[in-house]
Amino acid sequence: MNNASGATRMAQRFRGFLPVVVDVETGGFDCERHALLEIAAVVVGMDEAGFLHPEPVVSAHVVPFPGSELDPRSMEVTGIDPYHPFRFAVPERAALEAIFKPVRAALGANGCQRAILVGHNAAFDLGFINAAVRRTGHKRNPFHPFSCFDTVTLAGLAYGQTVLSRAVEASGHAWDANQAHSAVYDTERTAGLFCQVVNRWRELDTFWQRGHPPA
């Protein structure tokens, strides 16, 4: 019987990486030119049985960096008013630290070496994170600079769907289109999807190990 704690098992599950689900909302598709406007992150936890679950979300609204551009088409999709006073937006460096600090704490608590970004089209989110890190000169980025887990691939494998809303619905959960394109909402839905796919794999793997192939 394996009596390892969830934290210990997390350190062993992904080669010492800690999955952290991230979503960004931006002013366009070019991470060097377009503004980072919202960022949210969910640390993935593990229970003593080895099943994953999302931890509470952390987030920040971001002030567009000096000289950044806002593509009107992207702004129409997100509905974000970058300069609305009630956004309580902070500069990029402060926003990064608001996300990085709890991630670094979770790394220590789980005995993991580095965070690995989980995202839906993860390269997009990682590109904007890396660009903001370069602009601000942040020296304590907990994320691996290029490795990531992509729920587009996982959802395509598990449910035959690659669009986030359809993948979430195919997994048996509701999708609220009115809340979509909010970094917090999309991160929470992506985290649930990631945990469900990985947990399903664990269930099937355990089933096979016991000599009972799934029907």
Side-chain angles (χ1 to χ4, degrees), residues 2 9 13 46-52 197-215:
N2 190 339
R9 298 184 74 167
R13 178 63 178 83
M46 179 180 283
D47 65 22
E48 294 188 3
F51 290 99
L52 304 186
V197 173
V198 176
N199 289 342
R200 180 59 173 158
W201 174 264
R202 175 167 175 75
E203 291 171 350
L204 292 172
D205 190 46
T206 301
F207 207 52
W208 276 102
Q209 289 180 18
R210 292 175 178 172
H212 301 291

Side-chain angles (χ1 to χ4, degrees), residues 147-215:
S147 292
C148 54
F149 292 152
D150 197 336
T151 52
V152 170
T153 304
L154 293 174
L157 170 67
Y159 303 114
Q161 298 290 346
T162 57
V163 175
L164 180 58
S165 59
R166 294 180 180 179
V168 168
E169 290 175 339
S171 73
H173 296 276
W175 176 265
D176 185 351
N178 292 323
Q179 296 190 65
H181 299 297
S182 153
V184 168
Y185 184 78
D186 289 0
T187 301
E188 290 176 332
R189 298 289 79 73
T190 303
L193 180 64
F194 175 75
C195 291
Q196 182 161 331
V197 173
V198 176
N199 289 342
R200 180 59 173 158
W201 174 264
R202 175 167 175 75
E203 291 171 350
L204 292 172
D205 190 46
T206 301
F207 207 52
W208 276 102
Q209 289 180 18
R210 292 175 178 172
H212 301 291

Side-chain angles (χ1 to χ4, degrees), residues 16-99:
F17 289 124
L18 176 68
V20 179
V21 184
V22 172
D23 184 76
V24 299
E25 298 298 331
T26 69
F29 294 101
D30 187 329
C31 62
E32 301 295 342
R33 293 190 299 114
H34 293 130
L36 173 64
L37 299 176
E38 293 182 5
I39 179 171
V42 168
V43 171
V44 174
M46 179 180 283
D47 65 22
E48 294 188 3
F51 290 99
L52 304 186
H53 60 267
E55 299 288 354
V57 66
V58 293
S59 65
H61 289 181
V62 190
V63 175
F65 68 88
S68 62
E69 299 177 19
L70 300 170
D71 186 325
R73 294 168 296 181
S74 295
M75 304 311 296
E76 184 177 354
V77 170
T78 64
I80 296 172
D81 178 354
Y83 302 106
H84 196 290
F86 294 156
R87 289 185 74 227
F88 303 109
V90 298
E92 278 190 329
R93 185 178 180 86
L96 290 177
E97 188 58 20
I99 301 300

